């Protein structure tokens, strides 16, 4: 078996007395797409934020290419630039044009000169169907466009792994499709992805593996057909039933 | 909109200047508001004009505060003295801005090695916001020159300005800090997730957004500074307030003070209006609506 691209070993994380991740073990193989599903508050966002070192973990290890990146005291900046993250609320920089949003990472972090960074940004934006919006500012864009810019901003750093945190949850239903298309494209390109989502149909379509999170543990995981078709755990079934009842599957 | 090509056609014509019901209603309301506002203003002014001169000692007040000849005599001299106020203001503002930015950013650092810097920044803002500006001017203006042998260091303009800078930086740095804290945490997360360092995040992402927010409150501080510049006269320099005092003694009349007030208002009123305008624009831009 190849070494996993990203690996979590016994990861624990609490906020005060609230244990949010309670021993997470998870290997993400290169090119693998793993979706995280689970009720709100089950720890999906925290898991992703820990992987990107935005939250320090209390115990356990997180390996990127077999290097422990959660080692306390390690300089997080060189690691973060290898891991892309896209947020539910886009978090674009409102005072920068679309092109600058995408170019700023390479310029500041990788020291790429402005002209080259802009050219790369425009190329990326074209790939995501945003050519005509490159001079706009974030507040002039639809939610779907903003989220695609956020993905482009992340991709501009040439990440080895992408962490996607409910990237369609803040979108109007008719705008979800354009963002999911981008994720399909990333999978085709062989991007390694860890994707927290409530879009069950999409999770079923795109995942190599689905993990069901419950109270900070991975309660059940497996290929999508198994998790969605014949879930073993009563809690998984319960959760999926609730999703079906709310009309989202 | 006289005769359009469709004037006589069978279709009902909607004239170009037709208003929606709402527009018509709003126009009526606007007219009504203007009428009411003008009427009440007229009443207030009439009352003042009629009543004030009837005050028992109005004649004496008029003579000692509103003497036209003294006003015209004193005004140009005061205006010239005001030039010094403008200069003090002009060189203090950039220094206040630089110092407060440094203080605000220091207070936002997180590294334990920088604890002394953070502590110093906190003490500084607490101390200088806690002392009246005038006292700071006295203490710095009379105290610091005593430290030096050379007369070159006893220029009250330098130490008066320094006192203003110290006082105002304490306030303005708090305004900048509030601006920095007003930028949502998710912006920091987005920048850090790209691999930007905390310094790069502050410089490229947080500060540009924070500074936009703090322009209106900072304008108000600057208007306030514009007036407090006059306090520097208390340690020596002949600027407008001092000159007005000299003229008052010369004429044994208070009219120069009124003239000085007029000169201040010529500067501060436009600045205040501008600050309000910027504040309202910022409110609209950030989506906060005003409810009548
Ligand atoms: N910064 C934080 N401080 C305190 N508690 C937090 C913080 N972030 C998340 N939590 C708590 O962690 C739990 C899991 O949250 P989260 O990871 O956002 O779940 P999910 O993304 O699955 O909805 C929740 O109970 C939430 O209140
Ligand atoms: Mg979440």
């Amino acid at each position: 078996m190849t070494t996993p691209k990203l690996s979590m070993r016994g990861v624990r994380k609490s906020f005060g007395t609230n244990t949010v991740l309670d021993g997470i073990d998870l290997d993400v193989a290169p090119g693998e797409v793993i979706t995280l599903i689970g009720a709100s508050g089950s720890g999906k966002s925290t898991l992703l934020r820990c992987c990107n070192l935005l939250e320090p973990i209390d115990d356990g290890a997180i390996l990127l290419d077999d290097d422990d990146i959660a080692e306390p005291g390690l300089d997080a900046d060189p690691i973060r630039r290898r891991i892309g993250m896209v947020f539910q609320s886009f978090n674009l920089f409102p005072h920068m044009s679309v092109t600058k949003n995408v170019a700023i990472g390479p310029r500041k972090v990788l020291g790429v000169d402005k002209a080259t960074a802009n050219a790369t940004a425009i190329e990326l934006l074209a790939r995501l169907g945003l050519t005509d919006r490159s001079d706009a500012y974030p507040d002039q864009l639809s939610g779907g466009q903003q989220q695609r810019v956020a993905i482009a901003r992340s991709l501009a750093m040439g990440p080895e792994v992408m962490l996607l945190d409910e990237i369609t949850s803040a979108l109007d239903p008719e705008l979800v499709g354009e963002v999911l298309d981008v994720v399909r494209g990333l999978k085709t390109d062989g991007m390694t992805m860890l994707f927290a989502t409530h879009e069950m149909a999409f999770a079923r379509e795109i995942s190599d593996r689905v993990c069901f999170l419950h109270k900070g543990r991975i309660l059940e995981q497996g290929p999508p057909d198994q998790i969605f078709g014949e879930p073993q755990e009563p809690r998984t079934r319960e959760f999926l039933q609730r999703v079906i009842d709310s009309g989202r599957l | 909109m006289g005769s359009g090509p469709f004037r006589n056609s069978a279709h009902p014509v909607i004239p170009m200047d037709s208003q929606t019901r709402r527009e018509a209603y709003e126009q009526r309301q606007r007219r009504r508001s203007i009428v009411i506002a003008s009427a009440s203003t007229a009443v207030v002014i009439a009352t003042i004009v009629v009543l004030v001169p009837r005050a028992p000692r109005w004649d004496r007040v008029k003579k000692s505060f509103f003497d036209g000849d003294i006003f015209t005599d004193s005004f140009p001299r005061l205006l010239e003295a005001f030039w010094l106020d403008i200069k003090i203001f002009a060189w203090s503002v950039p220094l206040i801005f630089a110092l407060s930015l440094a203080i605000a950013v220091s207070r936002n650092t997180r590294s334990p090695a920088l604890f002394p810097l953070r502590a110093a920044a906190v003490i500084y803002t607490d101390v200088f916001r806690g002392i009246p500006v005038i006292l700071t001017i006295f203490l710095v203006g009379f105290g610091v020159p005593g430290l030096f042998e050379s007369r070159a260091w006893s220029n009250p303009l330098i130490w008066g300005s320094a006192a203003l800078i110290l006082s105002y930086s304490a306030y303005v740095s708090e305004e900048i800090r509030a601006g920095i804290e007003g930028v949502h945490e998710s912006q920091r997360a987005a920048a850090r997730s790209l691999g930007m360092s905390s310094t790069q995040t502050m410089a490229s992402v947080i500060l540009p957004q924070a500074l936009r927010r703090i322009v209106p409150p900072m304008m108000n501080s600057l208007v306030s500074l514009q007036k407090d510049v006059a306090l520097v006269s208390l340690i020596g320099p002949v600027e407008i307030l001092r000159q007005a005092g000299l003229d008052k003694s010369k004429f044994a009349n208070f009219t120069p003070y009124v003239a000085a007030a007029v000169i201040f208002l010529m500067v501060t009123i436009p600045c205040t209006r501008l600050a309000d305008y910027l504040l309202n624009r910022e409110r609209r831009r950030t989506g906060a609506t005003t409810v009548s």
Side-chain angles (χ1 to χ4, degrees):
Chain A
M1 200 188 133
T2 53
T3 47
K5 185 82 216 169
L6 184 71
S7 177
M8 307 182 84
R9 305 267 169 86
V11 170
R12 279 172 206 287
K13 169 80 188 171
S14 324
F15 291 107
T17 56
N18 180 12
T19 303
V20 177
L21 298 180
D22 192 8
I24 297 281
D25 289 294
L26 179 64
D27 284 346
V28 191
E32 194 178 19
V33 177
I34 295 186
T35 46
L36 304 170
I37 61 171
S40 136
S42 57
K44 303 181 295 296
S45 297
T46 306
L47 189 156
L48 295 175
R49 291 172 64 85
C50 287
C51 285
N52 204 14
L53 310 182
L54 288 173
E55 300 281 359
I57 61 174
D58 299 336
D59 208 355
I62 301 174
L63 310 181
L64 182 66
D65 283 340
D66 254 357
D67 298 322
D68 188 354
I69 58 171
E71 177 93 30
L74 213 62
D75 181 7
D77 297 336
I79 298 159
R80 288 205 192 95
R81 73 179 70 151
R82 298 168 56 192
I83 304 175
M85 179 142 186
V86 184
F87 304 86
Q88 178 173 348
S89 49
F90 326 137
N91 302 359
L92 291 179
F93 305 132
H95 57 298
M96 298 180 191
S97 72
V98 163
T99 305
K100 188 158 185 207
N101 261 281
V102 179
I104 190 81
R107 276 174 60 188
K108 296 288 166 194
V109 179
L110 305 178
V112 177
D113 68 276
K114 186 175 169 183
T116 314
N118 281 353
T120 314
I122 286 170
E123 218 169 276
L124 253 172
L125 289 167
R127 250 175 59 201
L128 303 196
L130 289 160
T131 302
D132 51 336
R133 308 316 322 257
S134 56
D135 292 328
Y137 279 80
D139 63 0
Q140 300 167 322
L141 304 182
S142 74
Q145 290 170 334
Q146 288 190 55
Q147 195 58 295
R148 282 185 284 151
V149 174
I151 296 173
R153 175 176 69 178
S154 205
L155 289 176
M157 293 298 294
E160 301 162 33
V161 188
M162 288 283 275
L163 309 171
L164 311 176
D165 189 5
E166 297 202 26
I167 58 172
T168 58
S169 296
L171 298 178
D172 291 335
E174 76 270 21
L175 301 177
V176 167
E178 64 190 60
V179 171
L180 294 184
D181 278 342
V182 174
V183 180
R184 284 191 189 95
L186 290 178
K187 181 177 165 102
T188 313
D189 294 345
M191 179 63 79
T192 310
M193 286 188 275
L194 200 47
F195 184 15
T197 187
H198 280 299
E199 298 287 335
M200 297 304 159
F202 185 70
R204 189 165 191 166
E205 170 203 326
I206 196 144
S207 313
D208 297 309
R209 191 148 42 108
V210 178
C211 296
F212 172 66
L213 244 73
H214 182 75
K215 296 198 171 144
R217 291 165 179 273
I218 297 180
L219 212 55
E220 183 169 4
Q221 58 175 303
D225 285 340
Q226 181 194 319
I227 300 292
F228 292 110
E230 34 192 311
Q232 306 297 306
E233 289 284 335
R235 295 211 195 273
T236 318
R237 261 176 264 152
E238 227 171 84
F239 170 74
L240 291 172
Q241 192 58 50
R242 271 209 309 281
V243 175
I244 292 168
D245 291 346
S246 68
R248 275 198 290 198
L249 189 64
Chain B
M1 300 294 106
S3 54
F6 300 112
R7 190 87 184 136
N8 298 317
S9 75
H11 301 289
V13 175
I14 299 170
M16 288 284 284
D17 59 352
S18 80
Q19 288 173 318
T20 62
R21 276 179 68 198
R22 185 178 179 80
E23 280 164 356
Y25 170 77
E26 282 177 354
Q27 190 176 27
R28 273 200 309 280
Q29 285 294 311
R30 258 197 312 277
R31 283 200 189 123
R32 222 173 88 96
S33 307
I34 292 172
V35 168
I36 294 176
S38 327
S40 70
T41 309
V43 168
V44 170
I45 289 178
T47 314
I48 293 172
V49 168
V50 170
L51 287 188
V52 169
R54 292 187 178 212
R57 314 190 64 170
W58 166 246
D59 277 344
R60 291 176 47 154
V61 170
K62 189 178 160 198
K63 214 157 65 208
S64 55
F65 283 85
F66 300 101
D67 186 309
D69 291 338
I70 294 177
F71 191 97
T72 34
D73 186 282
S74 184
F75 195 84
R77 247 190 329 279
L78 292 175
L79 207 54
E80 204 183 312
F82 190 58
W83 183 230
L84 182 58
D85 295 73
I86 303 266
K87 281 194 288 194
I88 296 175
F89 178 81
W91 66 57
S92 297
V93 168
L95 292 171
I96 288 171
F97 188 73
L99 184 57
S100 16
L101 196 60
I103 294 164
V105 171
S106 321
R107 283 193 73 165
N108 250 273
T109 54
R110 289 173 190 183
S111 144
L114 296 178
F115 174 79
L117 189 63
R118 273 195 299 279
V122 172
I123 294 170
Y124 172 87
T125 44
D126 283 1
V127 166
F128 283 98
R129 284 193 307 163
I131 305 176
V133 181
I134 174 91
L135 253 181
T136 308
I137 289 175
F138 280 145
L139 291 174
V140 175
F142 293 132
V144 180
L147 293 173
F148 298 97
E149 297 272 352
S150 159
R151 293 273 296 154
W153 285 101
S154 63
N155 185 341
L157 266 187
I158 293 181
W159 299 113
S161 308
L164 284 177
I165 292 164
L166 288 172
S167 266
Y168 270 82
S169 296
Y171 290 100
V172 174
S173 72
E174 285 299 287
E175 285 159 7
I176 297 181
R177 200 164 71 95
I180 288 174
E181 275 164 14
V183 177
H184 199 268
E185 187 59 31
S186 62
Q187 287 287 309
R188 201 184 298 269
R192 298 310 295 272
S193 80
L194 292 174
M196 288 166 115
S197 67
S198 59
T199 313
Q200 287 169 331
T201 301
M202 178 57 81
S204 304
V205 175
I206 308 294
L207 270 186
Q209 295 183 58
L211 293 181
R212 222 160 284 201
R213 284 157 198 263
I214 59 146
V215 166
M218 213 156 75
M219 287 288 296
N220 281 325
S221 292
L222 293 186
V223 170
S224 192
L225 171 66
Q226 180 65 59
K227 293 177 295 173
D228 281 352
V229 164
L231 296 176
V232 172
S233 68
L234 296 174
I235 57 170
V238 180
E239 50 67 72
I240 184 167
L241 182 61
R242 181 76 162 227
Q243 184 63 52
L246 295 174
D247 281 14
K248 182 214 76 175
S249 307
K250 182 169 128 196
F251 298 115
N253 188 292
F254 290 107
T255 304
Y257 283 145
V258 174
V262 169
I263 291 174
F264 271 105
L265 288 178
M266 282 175 359
V267 174
T268 52
I269 287 183
C271 288
T272 317
R273 290 297 97 219
L274 179 64
D276 270 13
Y277 166 77
L278 292 174
L279 186 64
N280 279 328
R281 201 182 60 171
E282 178 70 15
R283 279 218 190 94
R284 272 199 305 279
R285 210 179 60 79
T286 53
T289 49
T290 41
V291 176
S292 55

